[in-house]
């Protein structure tokens, strides 16, 4: 094809680099704050690793492929090489159980169908990555023209109980033919990706059109199943690369300090959750120390995140430093109004925590106004009663610094004498002024620093 010829010309063999097989990195994204800050960290470390690879490395061009409303730019195109395609209509996303990941195969389909967009791709091979990938070392071209390379996922091993779903979209297929892979990380020749992309999208639309497949294929990875079935239906077999990436959390146990030299990508799909004493917080628990992308759905992470406590594994230290290095190295990284790695564990106080906290004992059972509206109560047992529905209150984990800083920013990021009061899908850090008459509090909302004043109306401990 003309597009393949263009890519071939652009990636013609360099006599100074015999054996070089360059590929073009394709970062799929949506135009959200959540994926924007991840893309910035990802691109920072891509550039770093490409420099380390040198001019004879296989790492070639880079394109962030962004699905946005109407294909409009999102403002990062000056920092990251980007192309924009129209995202799927909201009605399509809603009719497929609000599965926004449909935009990944759809954006790839649009890219491959447009000669103008394809001119951005400078090699015959592409490396498909996601925004929450951080490169740990240069990646060589692991694929051939006929055999793509992909990470092997433990939860993507197909079995006979899934055959009825597979055969709904590929009648002659079976679980035995599927590779345990997804569409990222994936190194693949453009011709193969061009053949797979339409089926990848169509099969995914089918899987998400009703709840049937959910019985045997977890919904959050059905986009991966759509790709795996599509590739198998075309007879494509992958090179399975176990060290393509790691997905370490706190429960991974001891991790060798040299792990960044043993794999290529850190995929931070899971949060890393520790107590402040350096022990794993527990299954499905937000840690007293917490590094989790989900905390930053509408805001960038702050610069200078507090490092993990002593006892945390090597992955926790490496990833925190990788985020910090990128945010410090990107001049236009915005000021964040969110907490860092301490303060996200927001559970009702235990009896022991109440006993150890004069502030919590003083507040428990007290009634206040919130911005002049009565009916705000720190009820017993961490229950929060408000005119806008029930919530939770408790102790804010103490981050390093901030104890003597009266600013709203410090009250969010490093408050040593605060309680939290979370309700109406928002987190608030609350600092009390007991010397006022009557006592008052200042609440600062995490994410935008919106300030609200409160006034004591009775109950609790002001008189205790």
């Amino acid at each position: 094809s003309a597009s393949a010829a263009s890519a071939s010309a652009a990636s013609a063999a360099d006599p100074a680099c015999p054996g070089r097989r360059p590929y073009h990195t394709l970062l799929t994204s949506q135009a959200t704050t959540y994926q924007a800050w991840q893309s910035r960290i990802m691109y920072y470390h891509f550039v770093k690793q490409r420099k380390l690879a040198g001019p004879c490395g296989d790492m070639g061009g880079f394109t962030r492929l962004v699905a946005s409303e109407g294909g409009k730019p999102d403002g990062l195109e000056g920092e990251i090489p980007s192309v924009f395609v129209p995202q799927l209509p909201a009605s399509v996303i809603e009719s497929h159980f609000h599965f926004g990941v449909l935009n990944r195969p759809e954006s790839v389909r649009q890219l491959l169908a447009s000669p103008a967009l394809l001119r951005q791709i400078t090699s015959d091979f592409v490396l498909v990555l996601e925004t929450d990938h951080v490169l740990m070392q240069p990646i060589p071209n692991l694929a051939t023209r006929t055999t793509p390379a992909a990470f092997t996922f433990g939860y993507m091993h197909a079995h006979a109980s899934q055959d009825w779903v597979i055969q709904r979209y590929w009648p002659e297929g079976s679980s035995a033919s599927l590779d345990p892979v997804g569409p990222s990380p994936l190194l693949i020749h453009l011709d193969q990706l061009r053949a797979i992309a339409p089926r990848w999208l169509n099969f995914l639309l089918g899987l998400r059109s009703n709840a049937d497949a959910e019985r045997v294929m977890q919904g959050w990875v059905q986009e991966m199943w759509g790709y795996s079935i599509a590739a198998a239906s075309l007879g494509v077999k992958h090179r399975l690369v176990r060290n393509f990436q790691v997905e370490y959390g706190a429960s991974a146990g001891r991790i060798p300090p040299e792990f960044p030299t043993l794999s290529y990508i850190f995929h931070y799909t899971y949060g890393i959750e520790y107590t402040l004493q350096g022990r794993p917080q527990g299954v499905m628990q937000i840690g007293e120390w917490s590094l989790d992308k989900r905390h930053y759905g509408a805001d960038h992470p702050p610069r200078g995140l507090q490092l993990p406590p002593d006892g945390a594994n090597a992955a926790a230290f490496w990833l925190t430093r990788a985020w910090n290095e990128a945010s410090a190295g990107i001049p236009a990284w915005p000021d964040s109004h969110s907490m860092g790695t301490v303060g996200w564990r927001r559970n009702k106080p235990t009896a022991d925590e109440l006993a150890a906290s004069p502030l919590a004992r003083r507040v428990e059972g007290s009634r206040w106004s919130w911005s002049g509206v009565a009916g705000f109560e720190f009820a017993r047992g961490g229950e929060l009663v408000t005119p806008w529905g029930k919530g939770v209150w408790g102790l804010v984990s103490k981050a390093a610094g901030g104890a003597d800083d009266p600013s709203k920013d410090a009250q969010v990021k490093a408050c040593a004498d605060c309680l939290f009061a979370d309700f109406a899908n928002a987190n608030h850090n609350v600092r009390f002024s007991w010397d006022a008459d009557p006592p008052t509090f200042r609440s600062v909302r995490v994410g935008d620093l919106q300030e609200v004043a409160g006034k004591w109306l009775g109950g609790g401990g002001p008189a205790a």
Side-chain angles (χ1 to χ4, degrees), residues 5-273:
S6 174
S8 296
S11 60
D14 184 345
C17 301
R20 181 176 186 250
R21 297 190 306 122
Y23 61 81
H24 192 102
T25 296
L26 188 65
L27 176 65
T28 58
S29 178
Q30 297 183 58
T32 63
T33 299
Y34 179 61
Q35 293 201 346
W37 67 258
Q38 293 175 42
S39 297
R40 301 177 84 176
I41 292 175
M42 190 275 157
Y43 184 63
Y44 174 90
H45 285 281
F46 168 86
V47 171
K48 175 182 176 180
Q49 297 302 330
R50 185 169 59 182
K51 288 180 180 177
L52 289 174
C56 289
D58 291 339
M59 298 176 69
F62 184 100
T63 297
R64 183 178 65 121
L65 176 61
V66 187
S68 63
E69 185 175 357
K72 297 177 182 177
D74 65 354
L76 285 185
E77 60 276 8
E79 178 181 323
I80 307 174
S82 305
V83 297
F84 299 87
V85 296
Q87 66 189 21
L88 288 166
S91 59
V92 173
I93 300 299
E94 291 167 5
S95 65
H96 291 82
F97 299 92
H98 300 272
F99 198 61
V101 187
L102 284 164
N103 277 304
R104 180 180 293 139
E106 166 61 10
S107 62
V108 171
R109 182 199 66 78
Q110 292 188 58
L111 171 74
L112 296 174
S114 168
L117 293 180
L118 262 182
R119 282 195 288 272
Q120 306 293 321
I121 308 302
T122 58
S123 302
D124 290 331
F125 292 89
V126 291
L127 171 62
V128 184
L129 295 181
E130 298 176 23
T131 57
D132 57 353
H133 287 167
V134 180
L135 272 59
M136 299 189 292
Q137 58 176 312
I139 303 176
N141 189 342
L142 303 168
T144 69
R145 186 178 183 89
T146 57
T147 305
F151 180 66
T152 176
F153 291 89
Y155 48 79
M156 288 296 295
H157 288 273
H159 46 83
S161 66
Q162 297 168 322
D163 280 345
W164 64 272
V165 176
I166 296 167
Q167 290 165 6
R168 180 177 290 180
Y169 307 103
W170 177 30
E172 63 273 25
S174 75
S175 55
S177 302
L178 270 63
D179 287 335
V181 302
S184 177
L186 171 71
L187 249 167
I188 189 169
H189 194 276
L190 268 176
D191 290 343
Q192 287 187 310
L193 185 60
R194 185 179 291 105
I196 293 170
R199 296 191 185 192
W200 172 22
L201 175 61
N202 290 335
F203 291 174
L204 175 57
L205 287 167
L207 289 169
R208 298 297 300 184
S209 65
N210 56 68
D212 292 352
E214 188 80 24
R215 305 207 303 267
V216 292
M217 294 176 177
Q218 288 179 299
W220 65 281
V221 292
Q222 285 178 359
E223 182 247 355
M224 299 170 68
W225 285 110
Y227 172 85
S228 181
I229 298 169
S233 73
L234 291 167
V236 174
K237 299 298 293 182
H238 298 75
R239 173 185 175 183
L240 303 180
V241 184
R242 295 185 181 276
N243 68 332
F244 219 148
Q245 66 178 19
V246 293
E247 298 178 333
Y248 290 137
S251 61
R254 185 188 179 281
I255 297 169
E258 68 273 16
F259 82 89
T261 68
L262 304 177
S263 298
Y264 296 111
I265 297 168
F266 197 122
H267 181 205
Y268 53 91
T269 188
Y270 304 115
I272 305 179
E273 314 292 344

